[in-house]
Amino acid sequence: MLGVYGGTFDPVHFGHLRTALEVKELFELDEIRLIPCFIPAHRDEPSAAAVMRVKMLELALAGRSGMTLDTREIDRGGPSYMVDTLASLRETMVAEMPLLLFIGGDAFEHLCQWHRWHALFDYAHVVVMTRPGAGHSELSEVLKNRYTDSVQKLKDTACGSLFFQRVTLLDISATAIRQMVAEGRSPGFLLPDAVISYIDQNQLYRR
Ligand code: ATP
């Protein structure tokens, strides 16, 4: 099974990395791909240039087997719609192979505003990573029909289901990290040291 984890990664931090590793192990994925967006469809433009966000991901993932960087959204240019990304991934996959799209609970709350969101399920299962004990807002009829609590179903079918998975959500956000750096404080222990060095060397996120 292949997993996809999209984001701005501005910068990548241990909140992303811990959950990516955790779901890779939980779902016994062959690979989880971190896919940085080029122009986010639903939020402000990233602060760091795409090449720099890519470099930080490379540094963070160095030496990690099965956790990889996929730059197709940046290579494609334009607004980064996840549905296009999943469609292009599908083109090179065996049709029966399950594809899992991982999103955070915060992102899930806005799923219905994503470009062609219904079509996401034509290409992948959607797995929402939730905080232990956290609920989610009432599911719409469409999502209720997609919902499953069976991991086996995710493994036995290529796409089409909605699943909720509890993970260790560290209370870390890229926004808070950018703020800290801008104020001259250290973001130490919130993201890999190699990424912090890169931020320092390139004077990213300073005022
Ligand atoms: P920002 O603070 O700039 O909004 P962010 O830290 O939320 O950034 P994104 O790159 O926008 O990071 O998020 C990409 C994905 O990672 C989303 O699905 C989001 O829900 C998830 N995510 C973000 N922070 C965490 C965290 N601390 N733990 C687990 N998942 C996270």
Side-chain angles (χ1 to χ4, degrees):
M1 291 209 288
L2 173 64
V4 166
Y5 194 121
T8 335
F9 303 112
D10 187 24
V12 61
H13 55 66
F14 286 140
H16 305 127
L17 295 165
R18 176 63 221 165
T19 43
L21 173 61
E22 213 162 297
V23 295
K24 178 183 174 289
E25 291 184 339
L26 281 166
F27 292 91
E28 299 173 319
L29 302 176
D30 302 307
E31 184 184 351
I32 183 154
R33 296 207 191 165
L34 278 70
I35 307 189
C37 65
F38 183 56
I39 299 177
H42 306 283
R43 47 175 293 165
D44 294 344
E45 288 220 13
S47 170
V51 283
M52 292 185 152
R53 291 182 289 117
V54 165
K55 187 68 200 168
M56 291 189 278
L57 276 160
E58 275 171 3
L59 291 167
L61 297 174
R64 286 256 156 223
S65 67
M67 289 175 72
T68 57
L69 166 66
D70 184 321
T71 60
R72 72 186 60 219
E73 293 193 347
I74 288 168
D75 302 340
R76 193 166 70 220
S80 302
Y81 297 125
M82 183 50 77
V83 69
D84 297 338
T85 303
L86 296 180
S88 81
L89 280 163
R90 267 284 162 219
E91 281 172 14
T92 55
M93 284 174 69
V94 179
E96 301 78 32
M97 164 112 109
L99 177 59
L100 268 52
L101 169 64
F102 293 95
I103 60 174
D106 51 343
F108 176 67
E109 294 300 320
H110 304 110
L111 186 76
C112 300
Q113 291 155 30
W114 288 21
H115 181 62
R116 296 182 56 225
W117 71 272
H118 285 267
L120 295 170
F121 293 94
D122 295 339
Y123 304 111
H125 299 301
V126 175
V127 178
V128 185
M129 303 177 291
T130 64
R131 214 174 282 281
H136 50 81
S137 51
E138 174 85 6
L139 294 180
S140 66
E141 215 45 47
V142 179
L143 290 176
K144 263 188 207 155
N145 292 333
R146 297 278 180 197
Y147 174 78
T148 182
D149 60 4
S150 160
V151 176
Q152 200 53 48
K153 186 170 180 195
L154 301 184
K155 294 188 174 179
D156 291 345
T157 51
C159 56
S161 291
L162 172 68
F163 188 88
F164 292 86
Q165 177 60 53
R166 289 176 184 176
V167 291
T168 310
L169 287 182
L170 303 172
D171 194 4
I172 302 173
S173 80
T175 305
I177 291 171
R178 292 194 301 272
Q179 184 80 28
M180 261 176 225
V181 175
E183 290 169 0
R185 290 183 290 134
S186 168
F189 307 111
L190 298 177
L191 66 172
D193 285 340
V195 179
I196 297 180
S197 300
Y198 183 85
I199 290 171
D200 287 345
Q201 281 157 17
N202 293 280
Q203 306 194 354
L204 291 180
Y205 310 126
R206 304 244 180 114
R207 265 201 234 287

